[in-house]
Amino acid sequence: MTATEDLFTPVHKGLRSMLYDLSARLQTNDFADVAATGALLVQLENDFAVARSTGCALCTMSHHAHAEESVVFPPAAAAANSLVTQLILEHHDLTRRELAIAQAGHELVRLDQADRRIAAGVRLNQAANQLLCAYLAHMDREEAELVPLMGEHFTNEQMVSMRDAIIRSMPPEVLFAFLNWMLPSLNVNELSDLLASVRLTAPPPVFKAISDLCTAKVEPSRWAATRSRVGI
Ligand SMILES: [Fe+2]
Ligand SMILES: [Fe+2]
């Protein structure tokens, strides 16, 4: 069996872009500026119980871990139980880090003095950098170790049905929050394959919504090349 579908790499590209963006904004933020700091920390909203905030980086990471654990890991565990067990433990570690950062953000905005907010901002940056390191290493492990195993043990059809199950499990606004980061993060080959597949399988309004999102978010020459390849 030599399946070529990859359930992890495209969405991880989007998550990397999201994390790089968050990191860039965190490390340049003036924590003395209450308004700018408040706006930035909205991205770190920690309402995991609801986890519906589409602009929320931590919520998006939580959704991703949940999708992997509920749809992909159970069948994958039959082929690679030890690896999947370790990946779940890594999810728990990442969640602890995400919650600690969200909590630190809430405490930071309650500080009255600018110099104390600046000092807390330094610590917040350090914690976010450590999360970034751990998160990048985790995604790399999924791609380097789990993707090849999935290719050996599952057919393309099985993996496409797992992807469909993930998509069906997400409220539309959450799905589009992922696509908002993923679409501009793909190269022209990946984007063309995705758009061609969506055109064949999704209802026309969904295809139009995704195409409109590409127009808004994908670098214009890459989107033009994709449209030419797909014939749209
Ligand atoms: Fe994961
Ligand atoms: Fe992942």
Side-chain angles (χ1 to χ4, degrees), residues 9-203:
T9 307
V11 70
H12 285 176
K13 283 192 168 192
L15 288 167
R16 285 191 186 92
S17 294
M18 183 187 78
L19 287 164
Y20 299 157
D21 175 75
L22 184 64
S23 178
R25 300 210 290 135
L26 264 176
Q27 68 187 0
T28 52
N29 185 63
D30 175 11
F31 286 94
D33 183 333
V34 173
T37 299
L40 174 60
L41 295 179
V42 163
Q43 270 208 318
L44 294 169
E45 172 60 51
N46 70 339
D47 190 354
F48 285 95
V50 180
R52 280 180 176 273
S53 172
T54 52
C56 163
L58 296 180
C59 301
T60 302
M61 290 191 266
S62 169
H63 274 295
H64 175 62
H66 178 72
E68 287 177 341
E69 289 184 20
S70 58
V71 176
V72 184
F73 284 1
N81 189 43
S82 161
L83 174 60
V84 168
T85 300
Q86 291 171 49
L87 291 171
I88 290 171
L89 290 174
E90 289 180 10
H91 281 183
H92 295 169
D93 172 62
L94 293 168
T95 300
R96 275 192 293 274
R97 291 173 188 270
E98 291 157 13
L99 287 168
I101 289 171
Q103 179 67 28
H106 284 218
E107 289 168 6
L108 188 153
V109 290
R110 286 200 293 268
L111 296 171
D112 291 333
Q113 295 163 302
D115 59 341
R116 292 188 66 200
R117 284 199 302 280
I118 290 172
V122 170
R123 293 193 294 275
L124 190 67
N125 261 283
Q126 289 169 341
N129 288 337
Q130 287 156 13
L131 169 64
L132 183 70
C133 289
Y135 211 101
L136 292 176
H138 174 75
M139 290 192 292
D140 180 60
R141 190 171 189 198
E142 287 178 337
E143 291 170 23
E145 298 182 36
L146 191 53
V147 167
L149 274 167
M150 297 290 290
E152 287 169 23
H153 290 89
F154 298 94
T155 63
N156 279 336
E157 290 70 25
Q158 286 172 314
M159 286 199 275
V160 167
S161 81
M162 288 183 218
R163 178 179 301 130
D164 288 347
I166 291 171
I167 290 171
R168 279 197 307 275
S169 75
M170 288 180 178
E173 67 271 22
V174 173
L175 174 62
F176 274 81
F178 273 104
L179 293 174
N180 190 50
W181 287 109
M182 192 179 98
L183 295 171
S185 304
L186 300 179
N187 64 43
V188 66
N189 305 310
E190 295 163 330
L191 203 53
S192 300
D193 287 349
L194 179 73
L195 266 290
S197 160
V198 169
R199 188 170 58 162
L200 280 177
T201 56

